Amino acid sequence: MVLENDSACCEHAHGSLGFAASSALAAAAGTADFVPANTTAKYGPDLVIEPVHLDIALDFALHDSAVHATVVQTFSNPHVANDLPGDLSLLRSIQLNATISLVWAAPFKPMEQRKVSFAYTVSRPTAGLYFDVPDAAYPSFPDKVMHAITDHEPERARYWLPVLDLPAVRTSLAFAITAPAAYMAIANGALVSETLNANGTKTTKYRLDHLCPSYLICVAVGDFVTIDDEAVRDIPIKYIAPKGYNADDLKSTFGRTPAMIRWLEKKLDYPFPWPKYFQICSKFIGGAMENISLVTWRDRYILDPKLAQEMGIHVDGTNIHEMAHTYFGDLLVIRHFEHVWLKESWATYTVALAEDNVSQDEFRYEMWWNADRYIGETASYMRPIVTRQYDSSWRMFDWHTYPGGACRIHMIRRHVGDQAFFRGVQRYVKTFAGKTVETEDFRKCIEAESGINLVPFFDQWLYSKGFPKLKGTFEYKPSQPYVVVTLEQTQIDAKAAVPFFTITIDVEVVDADGKTFAGQVVFSNPTQTKAFAMIPIGSAKPKVLRFDPTGRILFSIDCNPGEDILAGTARMPLMSPTASGPTCSGRDAKLRAALRQFVERADAPTSARADALDNLGAQRNHDDVAYLLAVAQDAKQIGIHAMTRSGALRGLGASRDPAAYAYLLTRTAAGVEPQYARPVVFTAIAASAPWQTPQSLRSAIELFEDGLRDSDLAVQFACARSLVALESKASAGALTSLANILDERDATSVRRLVRRLREAGGVGPGIGGEKAKEVYALVETLEAKLKKLEEAERVREAREEAVKEAVAAAAADKAKAAAAATEAKL
């Protein structure tokens, strides 16, 4: 799964489609708790009785945002020797979800099957099934197009389907989907039939014989545009989106799919297992989701030709990420959530493997990016990659799992060698295809091909927390034919359970003549946290120092070998020119002029222009506000996915201009701005509110609290984040109320926001974050000025006192002289 924005988690694409660009390698690793110490361990379910098949009949009433469902579920006791388990209730009962518990009068016999039928109507469920129905505020594309679609990971099928909603429970599927005949219906598996009904509806049937967990079940019905791509062998490829999108844009966005499938089949030596591979886009998908044979995407991934120039490589990365789940997550399903790295880490690492086909620099950049994000998260908390200690399964979908686990997969590859590694991966896929897997299954397959005992590695890197943090010194004397490199592990913290790591760090020294000399720093004894390497060199002076030049180990390092060597090392090739960097920031006249020139270019790339509009507002030049208002009011400059409009709105908020703020306040109602731009209005108001009047700030907080009750989830989250950004601690109760009406996945995100709010260190609403920093800086400036004034006053007073003393002394001298003169006369 690939996720978007912090109401979800992350998505693979860098920049405006997802991740923030801030660097993390400079951040110090923290040891805060991932969850409270008293959190109970989570375990997979007992499967004495287990669901084995679902017949799902759905009759959609799209205009009513409802579906009439009949679900027949087949339960089985697939065991031959468990007629008398210690807990006899396991043979006569099963808990499907929080509200459905099934109890039979007679226990199941070995190998016995029974069926249970559920008939019900569900309308606008809390989660899992989503309806897009045009209304007065948003009557048409691109805001709303009639359709319904599902999105279930990690445990959201339960909100509308009577299922045991955990990954270990897998069933075959049969669908009968009835909807207006003009609409398209799609589900997992192969198309069986389409039947026109007398009442103007159509019933479409699909069947999936491969066992499928509930979180991978997918259904979509609606008014769609489609385009076919070339088949891979006999596997049809199709791209689908709400009607209004350009079919050619769909083809150019996802058109590398067939080639990717062929590459992945060859890499894993396993044929693509699904009867079709369809990809469908909708606003309701958090990022992208690997449902079996029917991958869902956020429609923001659809690229027109201009946006494709910027974001094509990132969409390709997401595409291969989801496709990798075909094997890691769909064909091989995790037993329970402690093993989620077996799918998400693998999908993330597969993106890097695909980059390896482009260039080694691309691959190394991708792995650097993974390490950077993982290490950045450890500044907030550390946890083992594999752990049962979590309060919500959604918490496991974090940077530890995605890039952190990917780094560890790469370390395993480097540890055992490429040939043994990929043979082990192929063994793993073939051995466990169609089964559930645990971490130890993967380890044993790699061991079987390499002969290397990986238990110590897994104990250290998967079941323990943290990573090596090294502090180094570099010693060189021209009179000595060697250099000494000393490293120390500084991460060790027994109280926080951060261990010593048994590692070997390769070191390379390159001299002024271009000759390379190598050595190793070996850490093998936990009682010796320091280790060194004495590396013989030639007569020329060292110019480059490289640690782990082939990228075998995940670690951070603090070492200053001198400016000359740092400069020489920095000049060595590392990344490709396509590597994205941070956006511009700060206020500067030249920067402002460059931004203004860029945003006025007719050929400015869409995403870059949106970011530049935001940054132009941050220059806080009054002349730019009129330009930003003109862009924000221009119906011809909305841009695909309202990206240009959103950039202009963010720029107005960043400007802090009272007129811009007043304009933003008029744009909050549904239908005023494009639906994708509406949440941005609230974010922009939050950015500007601290710089308005106290009454305006209070009104903004009331606006955000009201927004928590909006019907648009994106607006709810924008308002929730705004209240946290303003450090409105009095709003914690309102945020908690929001969490109570959301599904567990979104509620988990809101509860994290509440925790951030309660831990915030601001001095009041609106006086947190950037505003607090500027206020503190202003206070320091004023204090400095006050000290200068006090010093000046002290000097003035001293001068006045000196003058008084001088006048008094002169008067005294004059009096003495007069007295002496008088005495002389006498």
Side-chain angles (χ1 to χ4, degrees):
M1 184 180 195
V2 170
L3 308 160
E4 188 179 57
N5 73 48
D6 62 4
S7 71
C9 182
C10 61
E11 66 176 14
H12 174 74
H14 316 308
S16 65
L17 284 179
F19 299 135
S22 59
S23 177
L25 284 176
T31 55
D33 291 334
F34 170 60
V35 292
N38 61 352
T39 301
T40 57
K42 306 296 189 298
Y43 297 93
D46 293 316
L47 293 178
V48 178
I49 299 172
E50 65 177 300
V52 295
H53 181 74
L54 287 172
D55 276 294
I56 304 173
L58 304 173
D59 188 350
F60 279 90
L62 291 174
H63 287 278
D64 299 325
S65 299
V67 63
H68 309 292
T70 300
V71 178
V72 179
Q73 189 157 184
T74 302
F75 296 90
S76 173
N77 172 11
H79 312 285
V80 297
N82 65 345
D83 54 329
L84 290 175
D87 183 356
L88 290 176
S89 68
L90 295 175
L91 282 173
R92 56 189 298 269
S93 66
I94 189 169
Q95 185 78 33
L96 292 188
N97 55 35
T99 59
I100 301 177
S101 179
L102 300 179
V103 180
W104 288 268
F108 276 64
K109 297 177 181 178
M111 307 304 294
E112 181 183 2
Q113 290 190 349
R114 298 175 186 177
K115 294 184 178 182
V116 177
S117 180
F118 304 83
Y120 58 96
T121 297
V122 61
S123 177
R124 298 184 184 89
T126 300
L129 175 62
Y130 305 90
F131 294 87
D132 197 33
V133 181
D135 54 26
Y138 295 111
S140 62
F141 176 85
D143 298 300
K144 290 192 176 183
V145 177
M146 184 72 76
H147 73 282
I149 196 166
T150 61
D151 188 35
H152 290 155
E153 190 168 46
E155 302 175 63
R156 300 198 295 180
R158 67 183 64 189
Y159 291 96
W160 77 282
L161 283 174
V163 293
L164 208 172
D165 199 17
L166 294 170
V169 180
R170 302 168 304 129
T171 68
S172 54
L173 302 170
F175 299 91
I177 306 168
T178 300
Y183 293 154
M184 181 180 185
I186 322 104
N188 307 95
L191 176 65
V192 176
S193 65
E194 289 183 307
T195 303
L196 291 175
N197 304 314
N199 62 356
T201 63
K202 178 177 62 178
T203 299
T204 307
K205 294 184 177 181
Y206 285 88
R207 182 173 182 86
L208 180 69
D209 293 325
H210 183 87
L211 298 182
C212 177
S214 55
Y215 80 91
L216 294 175
I217 295 174
C218 185
V219 175
V221 176
D223 196 10
F224 297 124
V225 60
T226 72
I227 188 167
D228 294 322
D229 206 337
E230 61 171 307
V232 176
R233 298 190 315 278
D234 57 347
I235 302 172
I237 311 294
K238 188 186 292 288
Y239 315 127
I240 309 163
K243 186 168 288 184
Y245 280 108
N246 187 306
D248 290 337
D249 289 345
L250 285 175
K251 182 69 173 291
S252 64
T253 299
F254 302 116
R256 271 73 64 196
T257 297
M260 291 177 180
I261 291 176
R262 295 186 185 98
W263 171 79
L264 198 55
E265 286 183 320
K266 183 177 180 181
K267 194 76 173 178
L268 298 176
D269 192 31
Y270 197 99
F272 212 69
W274 309 142
K276 70 174 186 294
Y277 196 70
F278 288 7
Q279 299 183 83
I280 182 170
C281 302
S282 170
K283 69 173 69 172
F284 296 110
I285 309 305
M289 181 63 208
E290 66 271 13
N291 314 294
I292 290 178
S293 75
L294 182 56
V295 175
T296 49
W297 294 70
R298 184 77 173 267
D299 62 358
R300 288 182 67 122
Y301 278 98
I302 299 173
L303 308 178
D304 64 12
K306 180 179 283 190
L307 187 58
Q309 296 174 19
E310 300 174 271
M311 311 309 297
I313 188 173
H314 306 309
V315 173
D316 286 347
T318 302
N319 198 348
I320 197 67
H321 178 112
E322 299 309 322
M323 192 180 295
H325 280 309
T326 293
Y327 300 94
F328 307 110
D330 295 7
L331 188 65
L332 285 70
V333 178
I334 58 169
R335 177 73 172 84
H336 206 54
F337 293 107
E338 67 266 29
H339 306 293
V340 69
W341 82 286
L342 289 175
K343 72 186 199 76
E344 296 301 347
S345 303
W346 252 112
T348 303
Y349 188 60
T350 304
V351 176
L353 291 179
E355 299 286 2
D356 201 14
N357 289 333
V358 179
S359 72
Q360 185 64 18
D361 278 351
E362 291 282 358
F363 174 81
R364 294 201 64 182
Y365 170 70
E366 194 73 25
M367 293 311 300
W368 170 85
W369 191 94
N370 286 331
D372 186 46
R373 267 42 187 186
Y374 163 70
I375 290 174
E377 188 171 75
T378 64
S380 299
Y381 64 82
M382 287 186 186
R383 68 166 178 85
I385 302 301
V386 181
T387 179
R388 294 186 175 93
Q389 300 293 132
Y390 53 86
D391 51 5
S392 165
S393 59
W394 189 234
R395 291 294 307 280
M396 295 295 288
F397 290 78
D398 60 2
W399 290 131
H400 280 63
T401 289
Y402 284 75
C407 290
R408 286 156 172 84
I409 291 173
H410 183 61
M411 290 175 62
I412 296 170
R413 175 186 172 186
R414 289 289 187 248
H415 187 48
V416 303
D418 275 14
Q419 186 175 5
F421 175 77
F422 285 110
R423 285 178 61 88
V425 172
Q426 291 168 3
R427 173 191 283 257
Y428 171 63
V429 170
K430 293 171 184 176
T431 301
F432 293 99
K435 303 175 183 177
T436 60
V437 289
E438 299 182 349
T439 297
E440 291 299 290
D441 299 324
F442 177 56
R443 176 184 64 80
K444 291 175 182 178
C445 287
I446 303 298
E447 283 185 345
E449 293 295 337
S450 68
I452 296 175
N453 180 7
L454 291 175
V455 172
F457 181 97
F458 275 60
D459 283 350
Q460 181 169 255
W461 288 98
L462 278 304
Y463 300 122
S464 297
K465 65 172 69 172
F467 63 96
K469 292 182 63 181
L470 305 177
K471 186 173 180 61
T473 61
F474 179 82
E475 300 176 29
Y476 164 70
K477 295 179 181 180
S479 60
Q480 296 176 340
Y482 58 85
V483 298
V484 178
V485 177
T486 303
L487 299 178
E488 179 182 9
Q489 293 196 26
T490 63
Q491 81 286 344
I492 302 168
D493 186 338
K495 184 177 180 181
V498 180
F500 169 91
F501 283 82
T502 302
I503 54 174
T504 297
I505 303 294
D506 295 325
V507 182
E508 279 188 359
V509 178
V510 181
D511 67 15
D513 294 334
K515 296 179 180 178
T516 299
F517 306 91
Q520 291 184 325
V521 179
V522 179
F523 291 94
S524 58
N525 187 341
T527 64
Q528 296 176 354
T529 59
K530 281 188 178 183
F532 71 93
M534 182 179 292
I535 305 173
I537 62 172
S539 58
K541 186 177 180 180
K543 298 296 291 184
V544 173
L545 174 64
R546 290 186 294 209
F547 295 98
D548 191 33
T550 61
R552 295 191 309 111
I553 308 291
L554 171 67
F555 65 97
S556 66
I557 188 164
D558 176 10
C559 180
N560 185 358
E563 291 186 6
D564 288 346
I565 293 179
L566 286 174
T569 304
R571 296 189 187 100
M572 298 300 293
L574 175 62
M575 305 176 192
S576 78
T578 61
S580 59
T583 57
C584 55
S585 61
R587 296 176 67 191
D588 178 84
K590 291 183 179 180
L591 174 59
R592 180 249 168 187
L595 286 167
R596 185 63 183 265
Q597 182 180 16
F598 179 78
V599 298
E600 292 177 348
R601 279 174 43 186
D603 64 341
T606 306
S607 178
R609 184 169 185 243
D611 288 341
L613 288 167
D614 186 358
N615 281 283
L616 181 64
Q619 297 304 303
R620 302 201 288 278
N621 186 300
H622 180 73
D623 293 339
D624 296 327
V625 173
Y627 175 78
L628 290 168
L629 282 169
V631 175
Q633 294 169 349
D634 188 348
K636 296 181 179 179
Q637 295 196 65
I638 293 174
I640 187 171
H641 312 311
M643 292 179 75
T644 303
R645 176 65 60 85
S646 297
L649 293 169
R650 290 195 304 268
L652 290 172
S655 74
R656 305 177 186 171
D657 183 87
Y661 184 77
Y663 176 77
L664 290 169
L665 291 175
T666 69
R667 314 302 294 174
T668 60
V672 176
E673 290 289 347
Q675 191 174 29
Y676 261 137
R678 186 172 172 236
V680 178
V681 174
F682 294 88
T683 303
I685 291 172
S688 186
W691 311 98
Q692 311 305 317
T693 66
Q695 178 58 44
S696 296
L697 177 59
R698 289 192 292 271
S699 297
I701 290 173
E702 292 177 0
L703 173 70
F704 299 141
E705 289 183 343
D706 289 342
L708 297 178
R709 297 185 290 274
D710 197 88
S711 60
D712 188 329
L713 182 64
V715 170
Q716 291 177 336
F717 268 100
C719 291
R721 289 191 293 269
S722 295
L723 290 168
V724 175
L726 294 176
E727 296 191 359
S728 177
K729 294 191 176 185
S731 302
L735 288 169
T736 300
S737 296
L738 172 62
N740 291 338
I741 65 172
L742 297 175
D743 69 277
E744 179 60 24
R745 183 178 116 169
D746 289 334
T748 297
S749 299
V750 174
R751 285 192 290 266
R752 294 177 70 181
L753 289 174
V754 172
R755 180 178 176 182
R756 283 173 50 191
L757 180 61
R758 287 174 171 160
E759 294 175 351
V763 296
I767 315 297
E770 181 185 358
K771 180 67 179 289
K773 292 178 182 178
E774 294 201 15
V775 169
Y776 294 147
L778 178 60
V779 170
E780 290 177 354
T781 301
L782 292 175
E783 286 179 344
K785 290 182 177 180
L786 180 60
K787 288 181 180 179
K788 289 182 179 180
L789 289 173
E790 289 174 344
E791 179 64 18
E793 179 66 15
R794 188 189 66 78
V795 171
R796 186 188 63 78
E797 291 177 349
R799 286 176 177 172
E800 288 182 353
E801 187 64 29
V803 169
K804 289 180 181 178
E805 291 178 356
V807 170
D813 290 342
K814 186 176 181 181
K816 287 182 180 180
T822 301
E823 185 176 336
K825 288 179 181 181
L826 295 176

